[in-house]
Amino acid sequence: MKNKPSINELITAFADGELHGSELEYFKRELEKDPAIKVLLESELRLKDAIKTKYIKKSAPESLRKKVAQIVENEAKIIPIDSVQRLKPSEKTPSKPKHQSKSRPWILVAALIVISILIYTNRTTTAEAESIYNTVEFISYQHFMNHNGSLLQPTIDVYDTEYAQLYLKEHYNCNITVPELEDAEFAGIVYADFHNDYKTPLLSYKAGENDYIYVFAFELHDLDKIGDITRHQKAVEAIIEHNDVYTVDISGTHVLSWKWDDVWYSAVSRHHGDVIAAMLPH
């Protein structure tokens, strides 16, 4: 292949169904040889699926409807649909192209309406897509899916929640409550990069054979300093009291959020959000 595209370009093209011929054969061979490519492809497909399932079109706002109605009204004044020029018998009927329709102006207006609504819808859904991608909930979901929900090797071999709290305070200056989850075993702490060099604890819990819960903990005074990470807006609005929780559904995977004092938590697993909420101490 001349000017062979990068593997990332091939992954995107394959996910979009745009690979053919020699490029497709080449990509399939590379996919079989390199497991890392498979992980990247699965991540790309999950993102595409998340967009399809979560970002639905919304109705245009009333302001746009009024504007379109005004355009229609103005067009109607210029070229009324029922206007017919009366000609005297002596006058020659002007020629006109075949198949010309006197409703053509209205077809143009209808097209204008559709285009206006589509432009608005596209802007709305694009803005929503961008708004969720930088949330702690979505990034937590990405970490879970990228590791297939398996147990990560703990950075800190501490398996007691109280001692884990003391260790985080002493070694990382983190004032974080490590929760006890009912019917789940605390499996250690991974203190590593969460997003763009921002580090925060991942608290791991074992709920069954090959069944793990990831709980990310964020101290808000640190999180608020990070310009490219935010919290899910609806979760922020819903979580007021100590026992409030909010579930974000991302392509069928539930991310449960709650807040204790100055700490925001996002838990992701293969379970329904309500199941994780019931495991929290109250």
Side-chain angles (χ1 to χ4, degrees):
M1 285 181 292
K2 293 182 179 180
N3 299 324
K4 186 172 68 177
S6 69
I7 197 64
N8 286 333
E9 291 174 327
L10 290 175
I11 289 171
T12 299
F14 182 83
D16 292 337
E18 296 176 353
L19 273 191
H20 306 285
S22 60
E23 284 189 336
L24 178 59
E25 294 304 318
Y26 169 77
F27 179 74
K28 286 182 177 180
R29 289 195 301 270
E30 294 299 307
L31 187 63
E32 290 179 2
K33 290 191 298 184
D34 191 346
I37 296 177
K38 184 178 180 182
V39 172
L40 292 172
L41 175 61
E42 289 175 349
S43 180
E44 180 92 9
L45 292 172
R46 283 194 296 269
L47 287 176
K48 288 176 66 65
D49 184 57
I51 292 172
K52 288 179 182 178
T53 56
K54 295 300 294 181
Y55 304 117
I56 59 175
K57 294 182 178 180
K58 288 188 174 181
S59 299
E62 189 60 29
S63 59
L64 178 59
R65 294 177 185 275
K66 289 180 179 179
K67 188 172 183 179
V68 171
Q70 185 62 50
I71 294 172
V72 172
E73 184 180 343
N74 292 340
E75 287 290 336
K77 289 177 182 177
I78 296 170
I79 311 176
I81 192 169
D82 59 350
S83 65
V84 179
Q85 186 178 6
R86 300 292 182 179
L87 298 177
K88 296 179 181 178
S90 59
E91 292 179 326
K92 186 178 179 180
T93 303
S95 61
K96 61 180 178 180
K98 288 182 73 176
H99 308 302
Q100 184 180 17
S101 170
K102 60 186 177 183
S103 63
R104 182 173 177 274
W106 287 94
I107 295 175
L108 295 176
V109 173
L112 177 62
I113 294 171
V114 172
I115 291 170
S116 299
I117 293 174
L118 285 176
I119 290 173
Y120 171 79
T121 302
N122 182 64
R123 287 176 178 171
T124 301
T125 54
T126 300
E128 287 182 350
E130 291 175 350
S131 69
I132 193 172
Y133 284 157
N134 66 344
T135 62
V136 295
E137 286 78 12
F138 186 82
I139 300 171
S140 299
Y141 157 82
Q142 279 188 310
H143 281 289
F144 184 82
M145 299 306 289
N146 287 343
H147 296 286
N148 199 29
S150 60
L151 178 66
L152 301 180
Q153 182 62 38
T155 307
I156 308 163
D157 288 325
V158 176
Y159 302 103
D160 176 88
T161 55
E162 290 188 12
Y163 183 59
Q165 288 177 201
L166 293 173
Y167 191 97
L168 285 171
K169 178 67 175 176
E170 208 171 295
H171 291 81
Y172 297 99
N173 197 30
C174 293
N175 191 19
I176 289 174
T177 298
V178 179
E180 289 274 3
L181 298 186
E182 188 176 349
D183 298 325
E185 176 186 351
F186 183 58
I189 301 170
V190 179
Y191 192 85
D193 183 35
F194 179 74
H195 181 73
N196 289 349
D197 296 326
Y198 168 61
K199 292 179 173 59
T200 200
L202 161 59
L203 314 174
S204 299
Y205 296 81
K206 184 176 182 180
E209 189 67 28
N210 297 319
D211 181 9
Y212 294 96
I213 303 167
Y214 290 15
V215 179
F216 291 93
F218 311 90
E219 290 187 277
L220 292 179
H221 64 265
D222 286 333
L223 183 63
D224 291 342
K225 298 175 186 176
I226 311 300
D228 59 344
I229 308 178
T230 185
R231 293 174 287 160
H232 195 286
Q233 185 58 39
K234 290 185 178 178
V236 173
E237 294 170 358
I239 297 172
I240 306 299
E241 303 296 334
H242 180 81
N243 289 331
D244 291 340
V245 297
Y246 187 86
T247 298
V248 179
D249 186 334
I250 303 176
S251 193
T253 297
H254 284 188
V255 182
L256 181 80
S257 293
W258 71 93
K259 185 172 78 74
W260 289 343
D261 299 323
D262 186 50
V263 182
W264 186 269
Y265 298 84
S266 286
V268 56
S269 70
R270 295 188 178 91
H271 300 279
H272 193 283
D274 289 345
V275 174
I276 304 301
M279 299 171 75
L280 292 174
H282 295 290

